[in-house]
């Protein structure tokens, strides 16, 4: 038995939460491997809309294990909040949620450093979700971090105080104006740690490899998207982890030869939240329409998402660095009613046509080259079979498959679990 991955191929918000939830029935374990509460995975079913931040999207199913892997960073305060919301929905968490001892903890001061760093950057800010993700990963690679397993060892208080004091000096050095009450933040954090300790901590790499050996089926759920990958994304406007398939190996302790299918998920158009280059971005009635019909507001921060046409150059880049084996297309319904749909197939980069992602995709270096396709009028949100989709929608799918050289195996036509067409 092997492990399958599901990854976002754009700048996040592709709809991974919904699809993981749809696919969960075929797996025994759902595991998160990177990122933290910067993620917002939205699931809708039975008239309920729910956003998960740290907890894997398999949590609403019975008899499925959900594992937060070593590559994830956890904010105990946000985590407690998330669990309490699940309690309200009467989700039984007993024995369904396990946390890696090697996962790093986001301290309240990590959040403050994030804020101070963004403020100090002015116009060049990353547009971070301000959840302390970058500073926590910095402490991880700087070998200063505190991990979930440290809570079970002696000396926690000293380690926590030492790191907090170090952070307070760093914040001071930024020389920006941010208000906080450190004693209050510490109290809140301590209370949430007591809550966290009620969850079972495991040596997750051992647990997962044993599970694979005993024939269990595992789905690794990515967060953010490939274009936000710390190495292969639009650096420096990226997140601080490897969101691509290699991140699943390091973030779970799974060897590359254990990876089976890699499901790549993308929207029928493109969105981005936060700063950074976005070649196919629109500032017109079409992008307003995408934002409105697609409800393009950040699930974590509520910020409006920037919208634009589908970009096949960056999509090909994501497919190749991830080794995608199957494609999943989301939100095709949002494009209904647009007369002509454009798709970017090449970039004009400093006078030359390129079909791969170059070092810099800043506006001054390149312009997108588009092909135009006929749109469709029909509302497709109630369509449940491929055959019933409008001809021009099917033409759009074929056009993408021809360019991407992969089949689109799942088409989503709305936010609900039921609005999913398996091809
Ligand atoms: P950070 O990871 O919070 O530091 O944010 C870095 C960049 O990644 C910003 O542009 C964020 O808007 C973006 N980002 C982080 N998490 C997500 C996500 O789950 N969806 C979309 N964008 C994200």
């Amino acid at each position: 038995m092997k492990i399958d991955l599901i990854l976002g191929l754009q700048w996040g918000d592709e709809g991974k939460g919904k699809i993981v939830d749809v696919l969960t029935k075929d797996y025994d374990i759902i595991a998160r491997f990177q990122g933290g509460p910067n993620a917002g995975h939205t699931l809708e079913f039975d008239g309920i809309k729910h956003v998960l931040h740290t907890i894997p999207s398999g949590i609403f199913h019975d008899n499925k294990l959900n594992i937060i892997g070593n590559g994830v960073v956890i904010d105990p305060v946000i985590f407690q909040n998330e669990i309490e919301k699940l309690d309200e929905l009467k989700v039984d968490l007993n024995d369904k949620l396990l946390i890696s001892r090697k996962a790093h903890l986001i301290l309240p001061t990590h959040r403050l450093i994030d804020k101070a760093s963004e403020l100090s950057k002015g116009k060049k800010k990353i547009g971070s979700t301000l959840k302390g993700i970058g500073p926590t990963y910095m402490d991880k690679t700087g070998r200063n971090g505190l991990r979930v397993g440290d809570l079970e060892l002696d000396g926690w208080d000293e380690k926590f105080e030492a790191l907090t004091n170090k952070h307070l000096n760093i914040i001071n050095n930024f020389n920006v104006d941010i208000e906080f009450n450190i004693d209050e933040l510490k109290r809140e954090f301590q209370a949430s740690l007591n809550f966290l300790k009620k969850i079972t901590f495991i040596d997750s790499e051992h647990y997962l490899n044993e599970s694979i050996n005993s024939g269990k089926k595992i789905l690794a759920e990515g967060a953010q998207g490939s274009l936000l990958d710390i190495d292969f994304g639009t650096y420096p406007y990226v997140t601080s982890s490897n969101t691509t398939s290699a991140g699943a190996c390091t973030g779970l302790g799974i060897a590359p030869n254990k990876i089976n299918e890699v499901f790549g998920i993308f929207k029928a158009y493109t969105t981005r939240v936060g700063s950074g280059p976005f070649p196919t971005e629109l500032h017109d009635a079409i992008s307003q329409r995408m934002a409105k019909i697609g409800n393009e507001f950040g699930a974590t921060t509520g910020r409006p998402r920037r919208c634009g046409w589908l970009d096949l150059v960056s999509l090909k880049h994501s497919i190749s660095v991830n080794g995608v084996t199957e494609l999943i297309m989301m939100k095709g319904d949002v494009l209904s009613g647009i007369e002509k749909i454009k798709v970017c197939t090449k970039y004009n980069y400093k006078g030359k046509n390129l079909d791969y992602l170059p070092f810099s995709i800043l506006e001054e270096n390149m312009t997108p080259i588009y092909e135009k396709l006929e749109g469709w009028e029909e509302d497709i949100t109630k369509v449940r079979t491929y055959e019933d989709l409008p001809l021009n929608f099917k033409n759009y799918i074929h056009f993408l498959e021809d360019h991407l050289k992969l089949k689109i195996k799942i088409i989503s036509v709305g936010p609900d679990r039921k609005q999913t067409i398996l091809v």
Side-chain angles (χ1 to χ4, degrees):
M1 273 297 170
K2 294 192 170 184
I3 173 165
D4 295 338
L5 315 184
I6 177 156
L7 306 163
L9 302 180
Q10 295 160 316
W11 279 289
D13 308 315
E14 295 88 356
K16 294 173 289 290
K18 166 180 166 168
I19 292 299
V20 173
D21 181 57
V22 168
L23 296 178
T24 295
K25 61 177 181 355
D26 300 328
Y27 296 89
D28 304 296
I29 300 175
I30 312 299
R32 275 276 308 267
F33 58 87
Q34 47 69 232
N38 47 350
H41 291 176
T42 308
L43 289 79
E44 282 190 52
F45 52 92
D46 304 337
I48 300 172
K49 180 171 173 178
H50 197 82
V51 183
L52 294 168
H53 298 288
T54 319
I55 296 171
S57 304
I59 201 72
F60 293 104
H61 294 252
D62 292 332
N63 307 319
K64 308 289 176 186
L65 268 183
N66 292 268
I67 297 183
I68 300 176
N70 58 280
V72 176
V73 290
I74 302 174
D75 184 330
V77 179
I78 297 179
F79 181 78
Q80 175 170 358
N81 207 296
E82 212 175 323
I83 297 271
E84 284 171 352
K85 289 217 172 103
L86 289 177
D87 281 348
E88 281 168 26
L89 293 177
K90 308 234 174 326
V91 177
D92 179 14
L93 288 172
N94 258 343
D95 305 324
K96 271 170 62 179
L97 184 62
L98 306 169
I99 301 181
S100 172
R101 290 197 170 89
K102 292 197 172 82
H104 279 246
L105 290 167
I106 303 177
L107 271 48
T109 39
H110 281 130
R111 269 185 268 133
L112 298 176
I113 297 176
D114 217 355
K115 201 170 175 187
S117 163
E118 283 285 77
L119 273 175
S120 72
K121 286 192 162 111
K123 276 194 184 144
K124 292 198 170 129
K125 71 174 185 183
I126 306 297
S128 162
T129 60
L130 303 179
K131 302 291 176 197
I133 308 295
T136 307
Y137 279 113
M138 275 168 71
D139 270 339
K140 175 178 179 174
T141 49
R143 292 153 300 173
N144 298 312
L146 293 179
R147 300 185 288 176
V148 167
D150 288 320
L151 294 168
E152 297 172 323
L153 304 179
D154 291 339
W156 165 266
D157 289 342
E158 292 77 23
K159 287 181 203 163
F160 173 69
E161 283 300 322
L163 191 55
T164 299
N165 288 336
K166 190 173 170 179
H167 287 166
L168 291 174
N169 280 329
I170 294 173
I171 294 162
N172 219 5
N173 279 338
F174 272 110
N175 224 354
V176 291
D177 212 12
I178 50 172
E179 276 181 28
F180 58 92
N181 179 333
I182 192 65
D183 293 328
E184 209 168 281
L185 288 172
K186 279 184 187 175
R187 257 195 306 278
E188 182 188 47
F189 185 69
Q190 211 55 49
S192 68
L193 286 181
N194 294 334
F195 188 89
L196 185 71
K197 284 184 201 162
K198 293 185 201 151
I199 310 282
T200 308
F201 302 158
I202 56 165
D203 296 315
S204 54
E205 65 280 20
H206 173 70
Y207 189 99
L208 285 166
N209 281 300
E210 288 287 294
S211 301
I212 292 177
N213 293 339
S214 66
K216 295 269 193 294
K217 288 195 76 185
I218 302 172
L219 180 66
E221 172 183 16
Q224 290 81 50
S226 304
L227 302 175
L228 288 171
D229 182 279
I230 184 74
D231 283 283
F232 301 108
T234 46
Y235 192 90
Y237 299 99
V238 291
T239 191
S240 302
S241 60
N242 281 113
T243 57
T244 45
S245 48
C249 296
T250 56
L252 293 174
I254 299 284
N257 61 354
K258 296 274 164 57
I259 295 176
N260 186 33
E261 299 292 348
V262 180
F263 302 116
I265 175 163
F266 68 100
K267 273 186 220 183
Y269 50 100
T270 311
T271 65
R272 170 162 209 172
V273 62
S275 331
F278 178 178
T280 60
E281 183 172 13
L282 296 170
H283 302 276
D284 60 8
I286 291 182
S287 56
Q288 279 168 19
R289 184 190 173 108
M290 289 168 174
K292 186 156 178 255
I293 301 177
N295 192 24
E296 297 296 356
F297 296 91
T300 299
T301 57
R303 292 179 292 177
R305 296 178 185 141
R306 300 152 66 192
C307 298
W309 297 120
L310 190 61
D311 176 354
L312 295 188
V313 182
S314 63
L315 213 47
K316 274 196 222 162
H317 167 82
S318 298
I319 288 170
S320 90
V321 294
N322 285 311
V324 171
T325 57
E326 286 189 9
L327 288 169
I328 299 172
M329 191 179 90
M330 310 301 286
K331 290 193 161 179
D333 53 297
V334 173
L335 298 184
S336 287
I338 298 177
E339 205 185 331
K340 302 267 184 217
I341 297 177
K342 285 191 192 175
V343 181
C344 166
T345 51
K346 284 193 176 67
Y347 293 162
N348 185 298
Y349 185 74
K350 297 185 175 170
K352 277 194 193 137
N353 284 357
L354 284 194
D355 64 356
Y356 68 90
L357 204 69
F359 183 75
S360 166
I361 55 167
L362 287 173
E363 219 174 317
E364 58 263 33
N365 294 325
M366 50 85 55
T367 46
I369 299 173
Y370 290 105
E371 290 195 34
K372 241 190 226 171
L373 282 88
E374 291 297 323
W376 56 93
E377 268 302 318
E378 298 86 338
D379 169 13
I380 56 170
T381 55
K382 294 192 179 63
V383 175
R384 295 291 175 270
T385 63
Y386 183 79
E387 291 67 39
D388 290 340
L389 286 165
L391 181 65
N392 283 351
F393 184 89
K394 287 184 194 159
N395 287 341
Y396 190 62
I397 296 280
H398 292 150
F399 180 85
L400 303 185
E401 289 182 336
D402 281 351
H403 274 78
L404 301 171
K405 310 220 171 358
L406 274 176
K407 286 277 165 217
I408 298 176
K409 291 291 179 69
I410 300 179
I411 298 167
S412 172
V413 291
D416 196 276
R417 259 183 203 164
K418 295 193 194 96
Q419 294 170 298
T420 312
I421 300 171
L422 305 178
V423 183

